[in-house]
Amino acid sequence: MEPGSMENLSIVYQSSDFLVVNKHWDLRIDSKTWRETLTLQKQLRHRFPELADPDTCYGFRFCHQLDFSTSGALCVALNKAAAGSAYRCFKERRVTKAYLALVRGHVQEHQTTISYAIGRNSTEGRTHTMCIEGTQGMQAGAGAACTPAAETAPAQAGCENPKPSLTELVVLEHGLYAGDPVSKVLLKPLTGRTHQLRVHCSALGHPVVGDLTYGQATGPEDQPFRMMLHAFYLRIPTRAECVEACTPDPFLPALDACWSPHTLVQPLDQLVQALRAAPDPDPTEGEPGPAAPPPEPGRPPPETQAQRASCLQWLSEWTLEPDN
């Protein structure tokens, strides 16, 4: 996939209520700074000026976030009702997401569930990052930000408010990237913590290739052209429609000559079939998102006045903080 430009926005799903785009790597979703010459919001406004909503500052309502460095499927709601229905699916944990990644080293367990709790790193110089429970305090500028302490040690001051986090990992291939051993994996987050997949892979001892925040420190000559994490599959089962999209696999030797797979562990097409055939998760009360959901007709509103105000603000404009 070429670097992002104003003209090459890729659409993988479109209806009257939703768009799913294949976001480029190293691209912000939106930005309040004039320095950003290209953002996803600007691409959308250029491609679909008639779909831009004048009631919002940025013109479009993004249903979820992707890190600046992460490529892949990102859903955009085209009206308030669609945004509310998508939000409800995320809150009830009924959304299915799967990512592709190249990670350092050969992962020996072909299928595993990573269950490290994740919190914000309070270490000076690292406050923009996340870490796993038990992470020791580290000096600013350290490489990996999520090395666990001994199992018997209490949670250190370096990790604030850690919350349970689950990621399923399936190994697809073993091979080499620029001569170093790597594994191609499918990652399925079962919770939605900030930087969850990158933190979990790093904690497992297999950081994402090209992850300069949680990965291994290397020289400039060893750094790949992008972080090798891609949002591959997305399903949002709203009441009106099931938004489902599968993006092209960017981690192929034909697209990146540095990637040389040599051992097939699990065919990706079989996993895609399993993802498509899997039933949607039962509605469960997840942790609150950007705001409380709007009250349903005939049901007394459970939220406080402050929560209701926050909800209305979210429905009118869901803006995202830039990834640092």
Side-chain angles (χ1 to χ4, degrees):
M1 196 163 72
E2 301 173 343
S5 71
M6 193 67 77
E7 303 292 339
N8 65 355
L9 176 66
S10 175
I11 307 298
V12 292
Y13 179 95
Q14 183 173 0
S15 71
S16 59
D17 289 330
F18 295 99
L19 288 173
V20 179
V21 303
N22 186 13
K23 187 184 89 69
H24 286 269
W25 75 88
D26 288 0
L27 181 71
R28 297 193 190 282
I29 295 173
D30 58 34
S31 177
K32 296 178 181 179
T33 67
W34 60 268
R35 295 185 300 275
E36 294 295 332
T37 57
L38 182 68
T39 64
L40 178 56
Q41 174 268 331
K42 289 182 180 179
Q43 286 183 317
L44 286 166
R45 190 179 287 276
H46 177 76
R47 177 80 170 272
F48 301 105
E50 74 282 3
L51 298 181
D53 190 336
D55 291 338
T56 66
C57 177
Y58 294 104
F60 297 91
R61 296 176 174 86
F62 302 104
C63 298
H64 55 114
Q65 300 187 40
L66 287 180
D67 291 343
F68 166 74
S69 302
T70 303
S71 61
L74 181 68
C75 185
V76 182
L78 299 180
N79 52 67
K80 289 183 180 181
S85 62
Y87 168 77
R88 194 171 292 111
C89 287
F90 277 95
K91 184 176 187 296
E92 295 176 348
R93 296 186 182 178
R94 302 185 67 228
V95 175
T96 299
K97 294 189 286 185
Y99 293 69
L100 294 175
L102 297 182
V103 299
R104 297 286 182 187
H106 289 162
V107 182
Q108 296 306 308
E109 263 192 286
H110 291 171
Q111 186 164 353
T112 186
T113 298
I114 311 170
S115 59
Y116 294 112
I118 293 176
R120 186 161 297 278
N121 196 334
S122 62
T123 305
E124 184 178 356
R126 304 289 304 182
T127 54
H128 65 289
T129 67
M130 308 300 287
C131 57
I132 65 169
E133 186 174 20
T135 297
Q136 299 281 5
M138 294 162 40
Q139 295 180 353
C146 45
T147 303
E151 293 184 2
T152 56
Q156 302 297 313
C159 187
E160 286 185 351
N161 194 26
K163 298 178 181 178
S165 308
L166 292 173
T167 300
E168 291 182 355
L169 180 150
V170 179
V171 178
L172 302 172
E173 294 176 288
H174 288 153
L176 300 174
Y177 191 88
D180 296 326
V182 300
S183 302
K184 183 176 179 177
V185 299
L186 183 84
L187 300 166
K188 186 178 176 182
L190 303 182
T191 52
R193 312 302 176 206
T194 301
H195 297 176
Q196 175 175 319
L197 301 181
R198 298 161 62 185
V199 171
H200 270 175
C201 287
S202 179
L204 200 64
H206 299 281
V208 175
V209 174
D211 187 349
L212 304 183
T213 301
Y214 302 102
Q216 299 164 343
T218 58
E221 68 279 359
D222 298 326
Q223 295 174 3
F225 67 97
R226 60 160 293 180
M227 184 177 71
M228 304 298 173
L229 181 62
H230 175 77
F232 175 63
Y233 176 84
L234 176 68
R235 184 168 74 237
I236 308 174
T238 72
R239 293 176 181 176
E241 66 182 286
C242 180
V243 179
E244 185 178 39
C246 191
T247 59
D249 177 2
F251 305 135
L252 300 174
L255 300 177
D256 186 351
C258 291
W259 164 230
S260 177
H262 57 61
T263 303
L264 177 65
V265 178
Q266 174 76 36
L268 179 58
D269 57 355
Q270 291 183 7
L271 294 178
V272 172
Q273 292 175 14
L275 285 169
R276 292 189 183 278
D280 294 317
D282 293 329
T284 57
E285 280 299 311
E287 295 183 355
E296 299 180 8
R299 180 178 297 180
E303 66 267 30
T304 64
Q305 184 175 359
Q307 289 172 328
R308 183 189 292 269
S310 179
C311 175
L312 292 174
Q313 180 181 1
W314 178 83
L315 285 173
S316 65
E317 178 190 348
W318 186 346
T319 58
L320 305 178
E321 294 182 2
D323 178 57
N324 292 316

